[in-house]
mmCIF file of all heavy atoms in Angstrom:
data_model
loop_
_atom_site.group_PDB
_atom_site.id
_atom_site.type_symbol
_atom_site.label_atom_id
_atom_site.label_comp_id
_atom_site.label_asym_id
_atom_site.label_seq_id
_atom_site.Cartn_x
_atom_site.Cartn_y
_atom_site.Cartn_z
ATOM 1 N N HIS A 3 -3.715 -25.923 -42.475
ATOM 2 C CA HIS A 3 -2.998 -24.708 -42.841
ATOM 3 C C HIS A 3 -3.011 -23.663 -41.720
ATOM 4 O O HIS A 3 -2.665 -22.497 -41.939
ATOM 5 C CB HIS A 3 -3.585 -24.123 -44.131
ATOM 6 C CG HIS A 3 -3.252 -24.942 -45.336
ATOM 7 N ND1 HIS A 3 -3.886 -26.138 -45.622
ATOM 8 C CD2 HIS A 3 -2.327 -24.757 -46.314
ATOM 9 C CE1 HIS A 3 -3.379 -26.641 -46.735
ATOM 10 N NE2 HIS A 3 -2.428 -25.834 -47.163
ATOM 11 N N GLY A 4 -3.405 -24.091 -40.527
ATOM 12 C CA GLY A 4 -3.349 -23.210 -39.378
ATOM 13 C C GLY A 4 -4.295 -22.036 -39.432
ATOM 14 O O GLY A 4 -4.018 -20.985 -38.848
ATOM 15 N N ILE A 5 -5.415 -22.203 -40.126
ATOM 16 C CA ILE A 5 -6.376 -21.106 -40.290
ATOM 17 C C ILE A 5 -7.565 -21.336 -39.348
ATOM 18 O O ILE A 5 -8.210 -22.384 -39.421
ATOM 19 C CB ILE A 5 -6.855 -21.020 -41.749
ATOM 20 C CG1 ILE A 5 -5.665 -20.676 -42.660
ATOM 21 C CG2 ILE A 5 -7.968 -19.978 -41.896
ATOM 22 C CD1 ILE A 5 -5.992 -20.753 -44.137
ATOM 23 N N PRO A 6 -7.861 -20.406 -38.464
ATOM 24 C CA PRO A 6 -8.988 -20.591 -37.533
ATOM 25 C C PRO A 6 -10.321 -20.490 -38.259
ATOM 26 O O PRO A 6 -10.444 -19.789 -39.267
ATOM 27 C CB PRO A 6 -8.817 -19.445 -36.534
ATOM 28 C CG PRO A 6 -8.096 -18.379 -37.303
ATOM 29 C CD PRO A 6 -7.183 -19.105 -38.264
ATOM 30 N N TRP A 7 -11.303 -21.218 -37.747
ATOM 31 C CA TRP A 7 -12.635 -21.141 -38.332
ATOM 32 C C TRP A 7 -13.692 -21.194 -37.247
ATOM 33 O O TRP A 7 -13.445 -21.669 -36.146
ATOM 34 C CB TRP A 7 -12.853 -22.226 -39.378
ATOM 35 C CG TRP A 7 -12.702 -23.651 -38.921
ATOM 36 C CD1 TRP A 7 -11.530 -24.357 -38.804
ATOM 37 C CD2 TRP A 7 -13.741 -24.564 -38.546
ATOM 38 N NE1 TRP A 7 -11.776 -25.646 -38.382
ATOM 39 C CE2 TRP A 7 -13.116 -25.798 -38.218
ATOM 40 C CE3 TRP A 7 -15.125 -24.454 -38.457
ATOM 41 C CZ2 TRP A 7 -13.858 -26.919 -37.801
ATOM 42 C CZ3 TRP A 7 -15.869 -25.564 -38.044
ATOM 43 C CH2 TRP A 7 -15.228 -26.778 -37.734
ATOM 44 N N ARG A 8 -14.839 -20.683 -37.609
ATOM 45 C CA ARG A 8 -15.964 -20.608 -36.670
ATOM 46 C C ARG A 8 -17.221 -21.133 -37.358
ATOM 47 O O ARG A 8 -17.566 -20.688 -38.454
ATOM 48 C CB ARG A 8 -16.181 -19.169 -36.219
ATOM 49 C CG ARG A 8 -17.382 -18.967 -35.288
ATOM 50 C CD ARG A 8 -17.511 -17.513 -34.903
ATOM 51 N NE ARG A 8 -16.335 -17.043 -34.173
ATOM 52 C CZ ARG A 8 -16.098 -15.770 -33.872
ATOM 53 N NH1 ARG A 8 -16.951 -14.836 -34.256
ATOM 54 N NH2 ARG A 8 -15.021 -15.414 -33.198
ATOM 55 N N LEU A 9 -17.873 -22.100 -36.739
ATOM 56 C CA LEU A 9 -19.105 -22.659 -37.292
ATOM 57 C C LEU A 9 -20.295 -21.811 -36.858
ATOM 58 O O LEU A 9 -20.488 -21.546 -35.676
ATOM 59 C CB LEU A 9 -19.305 -24.099 -36.818
ATOM 60 C CG LEU A 9 -20.560 -24.794 -37.356
ATOM 61 C CD1 LEU A 9 -20.422 -25.062 -38.852
ATOM 62 C CD2 LEU A 9 -20.825 -26.099 -36.611
ATOM 63 N N ILE A 10 -21.103 -21.402 -37.835
ATOM 64 C CA ILE A 10 -22.362 -20.721 -37.561
ATOM 65 C C ILE A 10 -23.476 -21.661 -37.994
ATOM 66 O O ILE A 10 -23.705 -21.871 -39.187
ATOM 67 C CB ILE A 10 -22.429 -19.366 -38.296
ATOM 68 C CG1 ILE A 10 -21.304 -18.449 -37.803
ATOM 69 C CG2 ILE A 10 -23.797 -18.707 -38.076
ATOM 70 C CD1 ILE A 10 -21.229 -17.121 -38.505
ATOM 71 N N ALA A 11 -24.129 -22.279 -37.015
ATOM 72 C CA ALA A 11 -25.128 -23.316 -37.280
ATOM 73 C C ALA A 11 -26.488 -22.674 -37.516
ATOM 74 O O ALA A 11 -27.312 -22.550 -36.606
ATOM 75 C CB ALA A 11 -25.184 -24.301 -36.120
ATOM 76 N N VAL A 12 -26.721 -22.269 -38.743
ATOM 77 C CA VAL A 12 -28.000 -21.672 -39.110
ATOM 78 C C VAL A 12 -29.138 -22.658 -38.839
ATOM 79 O O VAL A 12 -30.235 -22.274 -38.420
ATOM 80 C CB VAL A 12 -27.988 -21.230 -40.589
ATOM 81 C CG1 VAL A 12 -29.340 -20.665 -41.007
ATOM 82 C CG2 VAL A 12 -26.889 -20.194 -40.823
ATOM 83 N N ASP A 13 -28.873 -23.948 -39.059
ATOM 84 C CA ASP A 13 -29.898 -24.974 -38.842
ATOM 85 C C ASP A 13 -30.310 -25.077 -37.384
ATOM 86 O O ASP A 13 -31.415 -25.539 -37.080
ATOM 87 C CB ASP A 13 -29.383 -26.337 -39.332
ATOM 88 C CG ASP A 13 -28.078 -26.731 -38.656
ATOM 89 O OD1 ASP A 13 -27.008 -26.341 -39.165
ATOM 90 O OD2 ASP A 13 -28.113 -27.413 -37.628
ATOM 91 N N ALA A 14 -29.465 -24.631 -36.483
ATOM 92 C CA ALA A 14 -29.783 -24.666 -35.051
ATOM 93 C C ALA A 14 -30.316 -23.331 -34.555
ATOM 94 O O ALA A 14 -30.464 -23.124 -33.344
ATOM 95 C CB ALA A 14 -28.546 -25.060 -34.256
ATOM 96 N N GLY A 15 -30.595 -22.413 -35.473
ATOM 97 C CA GLY A 15 -31.181 -21.137 -35.101
ATOM 98 C C GLY A 15 -30.196 -20.022 -34.842
ATOM 99 O O GLY A 15 -30.602 -18.938 -34.395
ATOM 100 N N GLU A 16 -28.905 -20.251 -35.108
ATOM 101 C CA GLU A 16 -27.932 -19.179 -34.904
ATOM 102 C C GLU A 16 -28.144 -18.083 -35.943
ATOM 103 O O GLU A 16 -28.394 -18.354 -37.114
ATOM 104 C CB GLU A 16 -26.510 -19.727 -34.975
ATOM 105 C CG GLU A 16 -26.190 -20.663 -33.820
ATOM 106 C CD GLU A 16 -24.720 -21.033 -33.764
ATOM 107 O OE1 GLU A 16 -23.885 -20.210 -34.194
ATOM 108 O OE2 GLU A 16 -24.424 -22.142 -33.306
ATOM 109 N N ALA A 17 -28.022 -16.866 -35.519
ATOM 110 C CA ALA A 17 -28.302 -15.728 -36.381
ATOM 111 C C ALA A 17 -27.183 -15.491 -37.380
ATOM 112 O O ALA A 17 -26.010 -15.707 -37.085
ATOM 113 C CB ALA A 17 -28.504 -14.479 -35.529
ATOM 114 N N VAL A 18 -27.563 -15.040 -38.555
ATOM 115 C CA VAL A 18 -26.590 -14.618 -39.551
ATOM 116 C C VAL A 18 -25.994 -13.294 -39.080
ATOM 117 O O VAL A 18 -26.738 -12.372 -38.714
ATOM 118 C CB VAL A 18 -27.261 -14.444 -40.929
ATOM 119 C CG1 VAL A 18 -26.275 -13.870 -41.954
ATOM 120 C CG2 VAL A 18 -27.831 -15.782 -41.416
ATOM 121 N N PRO A 19 -24.672 -13.169 -39.043
ATOM 122 C CA PRO A 19 -24.066 -11.912 -38.584
ATOM 123 C C PRO A 19 -24.532 -10.727 -39.432
ATOM 124 O O PRO A 19 -24.803 -10.864 -40.620
ATOM 125 C CB PRO A 19 -22.561 -12.156 -38.760
ATOM 126 C CG PRO A 19 -22.420 -13.654 -38.747
ATOM 127 C CD PRO A 19 -23.663 -14.190 -39.374
ATOM 128 N N GLU A 20 -24.579 -9.563 -38.813
ATOM 129 C CA GLU A 20 -25.000 -8.358 -39.528
ATOM 130 C C GLU A 20 -23.889 -7.790 -40.392
ATOM 131 O O GLU A 20 -24.153 -7.027 -41.328
ATOM 132 C CB GLU A 20 -25.475 -7.300 -38.531
ATOM 133 C CG GLU A 20 -26.746 -7.712 -37.786
ATOM 134 C CD GLU A 20 -27.247 -6.615 -36.864
ATOM 135 O OE1 GLU A 20 -26.593 -5.545 -36.801
ATOM 136 O OE2 GLU A 20 -28.294 -6.821 -36.218
ATOM 137 N N SER A 21 -22.644 -8.160 -40.092
ATOM 138 C CA SER A 21 -21.496 -7.650 -40.836
ATOM 139 C C SER A 21 -20.471 -8.768 -41.018
ATOM 140 O O SER A 21 -20.325 -9.627 -40.134
ATOM 141 C CB SER A 21 -20.855 -6.481 -40.090
ATOM 142 O OG SER A 21 -19.588 -6.162 -40.634
ATOM 143 N N PRO A 22 -19.736 -8.762 -42.141
ATOM 144 C CA PRO A 22 -18.689 -9.766 -42.346
ATOM 145 C C PRO A 22 -17.336 -9.343 -41.784
ATOM 146 O O PRO A 22 -16.363 -10.092 -41.904
ATOM 147 C CB PRO A 22 -18.625 -9.859 -43.876
ATOM 148 C CG PRO A 22 -18.902 -8.457 -44.330
ATOM 149 C CD PRO A 22 -19.910 -7.906 -43.337
ATOM 150 N N GLU A 23 -17.244 -8.182 -41.177
ATOM 151 C CA GLU A 23 -15.949 -7.594 -40.849
ATOM 152 C C GLU A 23 -15.166 -8.379 -39.794
ATOM 153 O O GLU A 23 -13.957 -8.197 -39.665
ATOM 154 C CB GLU A 23 -16.133 -6.149 -40.381
ATOM 155 C CG GLU A 23 -16.657 -5.208 -41.449
ATOM 156 C CD GLU A 23 -15.704 -5.047 -42.629
ATOM 157 O OE1 GLU A 23 -14.482 -5.255 -42.444
ATOM 158 O OE2 GLU A 23 -16.173 -4.711 -43.730
ATOM 159 N N ASP A 24 -15.827 -9.249 -39.037
ATOM 160 C CA ASP A 24 -15.126 -10.036 -38.027
ATOM 161 C C ASP A 24 -14.466 -11.278 -38.606
ATOM 162 O O ASP A 24 -13.836 -12.041 -37.858
ATOM 163 C CB ASP A 24 -16.090 -10.472 -36.914
ATOM 164 C CG ASP A 24 -16.543 -9.317 -36.045
ATOM 165 O OD1 ASP A 24 -15.810 -8.301 -35.981
ATOM 166 O OD2 ASP A 24 -17.627 -9.412 -35.444
ATOM 167 N N TYR A 25 -14.582 -11.491 -39.908
ATOM 168 C CA TYR A 25 -14.125 -12.734 -40.517
ATOM 169 C C TYR A 25 -13.149 -12.491 -41.657
ATOM 170 O O TYR A 25 -13.261 -11.508 -42.399
ATOM 171 C CB TYR A 25 -15.325 -13.538 -41.013
ATOM 172 C CG TYR A 25 -16.320 -13.804 -39.916
ATOM 173 C CD1 TYR A 25 -17.495 -13.060 -39.827
ATOM 174 C CD2 TYR A 25 -16.054 -14.741 -38.935
ATOM 175 C CE1 TYR A 25 -18.399 -13.263 -38.791
ATOM 176 C CE2 TYR A 25 -16.943 -14.958 -37.893
ATOM 177 C CZ TYR A 25 -18.110 -14.217 -37.821
ATOM 178 O OH TYR A 25 -18.986 -14.423 -36.779
ATOM 179 N N ALA A 26 -12.212 -13.421 -41.802
ATOM 180 C CA ALA A 26 -11.239 -13.356 -42.897
ATOM 181 C C ALA A 26 -11.868 -13.800 -44.215
ATOM 182 O O ALA A 26 -11.421 -13.396 -45.291
ATOM 183 C CB ALA A 26 -10.037 -14.246 -42.579
ATOM 184 N N GLY A 27 -12.889 -14.632 -44.135
ATOM 185 C CA GLY A 27 -13.598 -15.124 -45.306
ATOM 186 C C GLY A 27 -14.879 -15.794 -44.859
ATOM 187 O O GLY A 27 -15.052 -16.105 -43.667
ATOM 188 N N LEU A 28 -15.790 -16.023 -45.798
ATOM 189 C CA LEU A 28 -17.076 -16.652 -45.496
ATOM 190 C C LEU A 28 -17.245 -17.885 -46.369
ATOM 191 O O LEU A 28 -17.047 -17.830 -47.588
ATOM 192 C CB LEU A 28 -18.235 -15.690 -45.767
ATOM 193 C CG LEU A 28 -18.205 -14.307 -45.116
ATOM 194 C CD1 LEU A 28 -19.467 -13.529 -45.500
ATOM 195 C CD2 LEU A 28 -18.080 -14.413 -43.602
ATOM 196 N N CYS A 29 -17.624 -18.992 -45.740
ATOM 197 C CA CYS A 29 -17.870 -20.251 -46.445
ATOM 198 C C CYS A 29 -19.304 -20.693 -46.186
ATOM 199 O O CYS A 29 -19.762 -20.714 -45.042
ATOM 200 C CB CYS A 29 -16.903 -21.329 -45.955
ATOM 201 S SG CYS A 29 -17.277 -22.995 -46.583
ATOM 202 N N PHE A 30 -20.007 -21.072 -47.257
ATOM 203 C CA PHE A 30 -21.396 -21.496 -47.157
ATOM 204 C C PHE A 30 -21.513 -22.943 -47.633
ATOM 205 O O PHE A 30 -21.119 -23.264 -48.748
ATOM 206 C CB PHE A 30 -22.290 -20.573 -47.987
ATOM 207 C CG PHE A 30 -22.205 -19.139 -47.552
ATOM 208 C CD1 PHE A 30 -21.271 -18.276 -48.118
ATOM 209 C CD2 PHE A 30 -23.006 -18.655 -46.543
ATOM 210 C CE1 PHE A 30 -21.160 -16.963 -47.706
ATOM 211 C CE2 PHE A 30 -22.909 -17.337 -46.109
ATOM 212 C CZ PHE A 30 -21.980 -16.486 -46.694
ATOM 213 N N MET A 31 -22.063 -23.788 -46.764
ATOM 214 C CA MET A 31 -22.195 -25.207 -47.080
ATOM 215 C C MET A 31 -23.533 -25.489 -47.766
ATOM 216 O O MET A 31 -24.295 -24.574 -48.080
ATOM 217 C CB MET A 31 -22.044 -26.046 -45.811
ATOM 218 C CG MET A 31 -20.745 -25.789 -45.041
ATOM 219 S SD MET A 31 -19.224 -25.773 -46.042
ATOM 220 C CE MET A 31 -19.253 -27.420 -46.750
ATOM 221 N N GLY A 32 -23.839 -26.767 -47.981
ATOM 222 C CA GLY A 32 -25.045 -27.157 -48.703
ATOM 223 C C GLY A 32 -26.276 -27.250 -47.819
ATOM 224 O O GLY A 32 -26.272 -26.863 -46.648
#
């Protein structure tokens, strides 16, 4: 659907963003 996405690899130590404002939506996996 032509929607850009960005992977945030919490399992690899990437930090949770302090604000959601840079994103169109947030998806959380298992």
Side-chain angles (χ1 to χ4, degrees):
H3 289 76
I5 296 172
W7 59 277
R8 177 180 298 171
L9 181 69
I10 298 177
V12 177
D13 57 273
E16 293 189 30
V18 175
E20 294 183 359
S21 167
E23 295 297 335
D24 290 336
Y25 304 102
L28 307 181
C29 171
F30 301 90
M31 305 312 301

